[in-house]
Amino acid sequence: MKYLHLVWRGLLRRKLRTLFTALSIFIAFLLFGALMALRVAFGMGVDLAGQDRLVMIQKVSFIQPLPLSYMNRIAATPGVSGVTHSSWFGGIYQDPKNFFAQFAVDPESWLAMYPEYVLPDAQKQAWFADRTGAVVGRALADRFGWKVGDRVPLRGTIWRTADDAPWTFTIDGIYEAGTKGTDTTQFFFHYAYFNETRTFGKDLTGWYVVRVADPRQSEDVAARLDALFANSSSETKTSTEKAFVQAFAKQIGDIGSILMAILAAVLFTILLVAANTMAQAVRERTNELAIMKTLGFGDGQLLGLVLMESVMLAVIGGGAGLLVAWLITQQGDPTGGLLPAFFLPTRDLVLGVGLIVALGIAAGLLPAWQAGRLRIVDALRRQG
Amino acid sequence: MQALSQILAITAVNVRSIPQRLGSSIVAIVGIAGVVVVFVAVLSIAQGFRAAMTTAGDPRTAIVMRAGTDSELSSILMREHTQLVKDAPGLAQGPDGPVASAELFVIVNHPKRSTGSDANVPLRGVEPGAFAVRPRLRMVEGRPFQPGRNEIIVGRAAAGQFTGLEVGRDVRWGENVWKVVGVFEADGAISESEIWCDARVLQGAYRRGDSFQSVYVQLEREDGLEAFKAALAADPRLNVMAQRETDYLAEQSTVLQTIIRTIGFVIAGLMGIGAVFGAINTMYNAVASRTREIATLRALGFGALSIVASVMAESAVLALIGGIAGGLLAWGVFDGYRTSTMNFQSFSQVAFAFRVTPALLVQGLACALVMGFLGGILPAIRAARLPIVNALREL
């Protein structure tokens, strides 16, 4: 570490060039961070899916409902430790552009199924007791400035009230994210109120969520449940939440993998730029390096010095880029509700740091090796 | 005149000397080409998606849904309402009455070829008038389905993206088995992503009673929409809204387009900044390595402006090479690449092809030139302001 000062002076030798190189590395890692967050977002939060939860939908199409009467039969199936259900509402708040997801659920079993929706106990109890009550996620509440006690009208697009008046809900609670990436842009309200008010489709629900007692048995339980309703008028398809989310994410298609290819291209380009700059910096200093050798610096030491300079440049530029990317993704979803799981996982941050160091070493290796092999006499004789 | 010949002379020397500084020049070219590839590729996705959503194209086609709904999926119309819509004034008349088709739109789970996992495929039940309402639609293989039978025809794009949709095959969704009897094309419009069957059969299969979701109609005249809307609004038995089909589809495609475009511009923008830094470095190097030459030229009486212009010209040449290379690469790799994705507003798959249009290529090239300009300007000024005496002395 006693050469740190020397390395630093090396970087300051051509301030402008160092600055621009650092800036391009900065951009590369800013992009890296943004793309990793996008990857999570396009994956629809597959990593967040519960290990012990199954999703049961109608076999032919997820827009087809399932009978509410399935609830008890599911609960009685061996291996099942909990069940709840949910229905898509699809209402409009003020303007169709204000899209957010709304679901009619059975409050108690729903919150028991999803411990990641964290709600103060008082708000929970208030919601359970209030038939026209709703709970909303923190991000959604912030978006529209809603507070507990506010009344929110939603115009139904699919589900209408008898006189076609708007549905009105009282906000009884605001839930926070229990784990990183939990979707806090949703709106939940009582199925009972929904079911008695809507004009058709009574006693049907959108899908079931089932908790299995032992996650290792989830495949078996899923098969057992589907067998239970086989050859009925509403056959079912049950899969783990993870598989369900994955299948949904796959529907977005190749766009995610194209983004990944772009990322690779970007990093490669930046690597070229950085490597070239480092090589130039060393070539320019041939004389200096020769003098240092004359003064008694060993080959290994010179190699180390040049490598350190390169890594330092990468760490300064890349570190700042990664930091800024992290700060930006802390703000959450930039699209206002379309990509709810938008964050930079710790795993990718670690990967980023690894890439920075790798970039520094790769960019510095060739010039460092050249510097280490310099023959003093040749180097001193050479001009520029 | 003299300035111009000076500029030309120095530029020619500069450009001819590029091969000597090949390493750093290539870096600038690769950087700029990379940006152009990203820019063109991402926007070609948005372009292709938009094309699929908006080429339905006939300005006389209008769609009628229940008032207050944002997509066919959430609309409901009973048969008596669809009849009232068809009887409204202002519709084109065919041999069997008004040119219109009441339709039912559902989604079925069907595996995608590329991933093998289930995707939401749109299944549309139509009436015989459907072909008349969409004049560009035509059968290219097999025959139309026969009313009353469990037969389907599939759009060309859907047949390419999903498994087992060849003519003569059977597919099974739930309790129903359907026979594929034909394939249709619609000039790349969104209909090609769909599977069609007889509306009445679909009502039975999905227990929809005698309900529909929309009525597609052909207006008598292109400007007849307002009058048609007014006629519908005047009927107290109806609670519906009419839109031009093109407007409806444009609206349906906004969300995904916005996402793709935003991501595209942000990535290309950031990368562009990075590439400009690369170009600046390259040009600084170019200037630094020719310090003595430049000073000599100045001493010989070449003007500062000529020096600036020549450095800028070199930068522009590099950018142009990068821009063309990037554009060609994007065009070669991405143009016509077929894929499908989910349209968030209808929860169903839209199959489309990436489209690298000439306009996009021109935009990419313009991007490259801007980067070349930005990358060249600082080094050019520096070159022009070199103190001659010091520069001549420099090694």
Side-chain angles (χ1 to χ4, degrees):
Chain A
M1 281 298 110
K2 62 179 171 179
Y3 297 121
L4 211 58
H5 181 68
L6 203 57
V7 172
W8 182 242
R9 299 304 300 182
L11 280 177
L12 292 185
R13 200 167 178 278
R14 290 254 183 196
K15 291 194 192 67
L16 263 181
R17 182 170 59 206
T18 304
L19 178 70
F20 286 130
T21 310
L23 280 175
S24 50
I25 298 174
F26 168 81
I27 297 282
F29 282 92
L30 185 59
L31 274 171
F32 170 83
L35 282 169
M36 283 306 173
L38 271 180
R39 193 181 62 95
V40 175
F42 274 120
M44 298 270 165
V46 172
D47 305 339
L48 304 169
Q51 290 297 321
D52 56 351
R53 288 196 291 253
L54 304 177
V55 176
M56 175 193 275
I57 59 171
Q58 212 265 6
K59 188 175 179 184
V60 176
S61 164
F62 84 116
I63 63 163
Q64 293 285 101
L66 289 168
L68 195 60
S69 59
Y70 282 11
M71 183 102 162
N72 290 332
R73 295 176 64 188
I74 297 169
T77 303
V80 170
S81 66
V83 58
T84 188
H85 64 93
S86 174
S87 307
W88 175 259
F89 184 66
I92 292 171
Y93 177 62
Q94 291 172 340
D95 186 288
K97 289 193 174 59
N98 292 338
F99 173 86
F100 58 89
Q102 307 121 25
F103 303 98
V105 301
D106 173 47
E108 298 190 37
S109 60
W110 187 257
L111 287 182
M113 184 65 72
Y114 289 95
E116 57 264 48
Y117 303 146
V118 180
L119 206 59
D121 220 32
Q123 293 185 0
K124 247 189 224 179
Q125 297 310 324
W127 185 39
F128 293 163
D130 178 10
R131 283 173 73 75
T132 61
V135 295
V136 300
R138 169 57 62 194
L140 185 65
D142 289 349
R143 179 171 163 204
F144 295 114
W146 291 338
K147 298 176 303 296
V148 171
D150 281 2
R151 289 178 72 74
V152 175
L154 296 181
R155 192 152 47 84
T157 59
I158 312 172
W159 309 109
R160 312 281 175 130
T161 54
D163 53 358
D164 215 3
W167 299 69
T168 309
F169 302 98
T170 312
I171 294 182
D172 287 329
I174 295 172
Y175 70 84
E176 310 282 345
T179 52
K180 201 173 180 184
T182 300
D183 184 359
T184 58
T185 65
Q186 305 172 91
F187 184 107
F188 299 111
F189 60 94
H190 283 253
Y191 176 83
Y193 169 56
F194 170 65
N195 198 35
E196 75 181 21
T197 312
R198 62 176 163 178
T199 48
F200 65 94
K202 289 200 196 282
D203 294 330
L204 294 171
T205 186
W207 62 91
Y208 286 97
V209 185
V210 179
R211 164 164 288 134
V212 291
D214 178 0
R216 282 169 304 179
Q217 311 246 307
S218 39
E219 301 293 330
D220 297 342
V221 175
R224 209 173 296 151
L225 286 170
D226 287 341
L228 195 60
F229 304 113
N231 301 318
S232 74
S233 60
S234 298
E235 292 189 55
T236 60
K237 187 174 116 179
T238 309
S239 52
T240 60
E241 191 172 69
K242 191 167 182 134
F244 179 76
V245 176
Q246 220 151 24
F248 202 78
K250 270 188 188 160
Q251 294 209 41
I252 297 177
D254 304 328
I255 292 173
S257 40
I258 287 168
L259 285 175
M260 289 305 107
I262 287 172
L263 168 71
V266 172
L267 283 179
F268 177 73
T269 311
I270 306 283
L271 181 79
L272 253 171
V273 172
N276 183 57
T277 317
M278 290 311 298
Q280 203 134 34
V282 176
R283 269 202 303 277
E284 261 179 26
R285 264 184 297 171
T286 310
N287 279 1
E288 262 170 55
L289 292 173
I291 291 169
M292 285 167 77
K293 266 193 158 177
T294 320
L295 290 175
F297 279 86
D299 288 354
Q301 271 176 313
L302 281 187
L303 188 130
L305 276 178
V306 174
L307 218 50
M308 257 168 82
E309 191 176 318
S310 162
V311 171
M312 193 188 253
L313 187 59
V315 166
I316 292 171
L322 217 49
L323 183 71
V324 172
W326 182 76
L327 286 176
I328 291 173
T329 52
Q330 287 304 100
Q331 306 298 317
D333 178 20
T335 57
L338 292 165
L339 302 171
F342 187 84
F343 66 101
L344 191 55
T346 316
R347 187 193 57 210
D348 290 336
L349 270 177
V350 173
L351 178 67
V353 172
L355 275 176
I356 288 173
V357 176
L359 171 69
I361 291 176
L365 208 56
L366 185 69
W369 182 70
Q370 280 173 343
R373 273 172 34 115
L374 270 180
R375 284 182 53 198
I376 298 174
V377 190
D378 294 346
L380 282 176
R381 195 184 298 135
R382 193 152 44 170
Q383 292 221 323
Chain B
M1 204 55 231
Q2 199 204 353
L4 194 67
S5 67
Q6 281 186 359
I7 293 173
L8 284 176
I10 310 179
T11 306
V13 173
N14 281 2
V15 170
R16 254 176 293 167
S17 71
I18 287 180
Q20 283 167 30
R21 301 183 304 276
L22 206 58
S24 94
S25 302
I26 285 179
V27 168
I29 292 174
V30 168
I32 287 169
V35 177
V36 174
V37 170
V38 170
F39 181 81
V40 173
V42 176
L43 292 188
S44 77
I45 304 177
Q47 197 81 28
F49 184 69
R50 201 174 71 98
M53 292 299 276
T54 53
T55 49
D58 197 284
R60 290 198 300 161
T61 308
I63 168 173
V64 181
M65 294 185 294
R66 181 152 92 161
T69 48
D70 54 357
S71 77
E72 282 181 276
L73 207 54
S74 53
S75 168
I76 291 170
L77 297 172
M78 303 316 278
R79 177 174 294 277
E80 59 264 31
H81 298 134
T82 66
Q83 208 50 54
L84 289 170
V85 169
K86 289 181 191 170
D87 292 340
L91 295 190
Q93 299 294 319
D96 323 311
V99 179
S101 161
E103 305 189 346
L104 188 59
F105 178 88
V106 300
I107 292 169
V108 292
N109 273 329
H110 194 78
K112 210 166 165 169
R113 271 185 211 275
S114 59
T115 59
S117 61
D118 279 354
N120 301 332
V121 182
L123 175 61
R124 182 183 290 276
V126 301
E127 291 188 325
F131 286 89
V133 173
R134 300 176 181 81
R136 292 213 256 163
L137 210 119
R138 63 197 176 275
M139 299 300 300
V140 289
E141 212 185 311
R143 57 172 175 84
F145 57 81
Q146 281 181 2
R149 305 180 74 163
N150 277 25
E151 292 180 339
I152 52 176
I153 55 174
V154 295
R156 169 68 75 200
Q161 290 290 323
F162 308 106
T163 57
L165 296 180
E166 290 90 19
V167 173
R169 299 270 298 260
D170 284 339
V171 285
R172 187 186 159 84
W173 295 311
E175 303 149 29
N176 300 288
V177 177
W178 304 82
K179 189 168 200 65
V180 183
V181 296
V183 174
F184 62 90
E185 267 181 16
D187 295 342
I190 182 161
S191 321
E192 285 190 13
S193 302
E194 298 176 343
I195 300 174
W196 282 16
C197 66
D198 183 8
R200 281 181 177 279
V201 177
L202 192 62
Q203 283 176 342
Y206 281 70
R207 288 183 290 279
R208 292 296 177 97
D210 205 0
S211 74
F212 297 88
Q213 279 154 323
S214 57
V215 187
Y216 281 75
V217 299
Q218 191 173 59
L219 300 171
E220 204 172 16
R221 290 157 11 134
E222 268 185 40
D223 56 358
L225 184 66
E226 290 310 314
F228 177 61
K229 268 181 163 169
L232 293 180
D235 191 331
R237 293 166 296 180
L238 283 176
N239 178 28
V240 298
M241 58 174 186
Q243 279 172 288
R244 224 176 275 284
E245 191 192 10
T246 45
D247 294 344
Y248 168 70
L249 290 174
E251 179 75 23
Q252 288 274 300
S253 67
T254 47
V255 174
L256 195 68
Q257 268 211 70
T258 312
I259 293 187
I260 296 175
R261 277 174 183 274
T262 312
I263 293 174
F265 277 118
V266 169
I267 293 180
L270 279 175
M271 228 193 126
I273 297 171
V276 167
F277 293 141
I280 292 179
N281 263 339
T282 303
M283 292 316 294
Y284 264 130
N285 288 337
V287 171
S289 66
R290 283 209 320 270
T291 306
R292 273 170 108 181
E293 258 174 69
I294 292 171
T296 311
L297 287 172
R298 292 293 310 279
L300 288 175
F302 282 79
L305 188 70
S306 318
I307 305 285
V308 169
S310 72
V311 174
M312 295 298 292
E314 180 179 341
S315 175
V317 166
L318 294 180
L320 203 62
I321 298 174
I324 292 172
L328 286 179
L329 193 64
W331 180 72
V333 175
F334 292 107
D335 191 44
Y337 182 79
R338 301 200 68 88
T339 184
S340 69
T341 189
M342 188 159 65
N343 184 21
F344 290 94
Q345 274 131 316
S346 65
F347 285 120
S348 57
Q349 292 278 316
V350 178
F352 64 98
F354 291 17
R355 286 178 43 147
V356 179
T357 58
L360 269 185
L361 288 176
V362 170
Q363 283 173 33
L365 212 54
C367 238
L369 286 176
V370 169
M371 286 187 284
F373 177 80
L374 292 178
I377 189 115
L378 281 178
I381 292 172
R382 180 193 173 109
R385 291 181 51 185
L386 280 177
I388 300 176
V389 186
N390 292 358
L392 280 175
R393 200 181 291 137
E394 202 165 286
L395 278 176

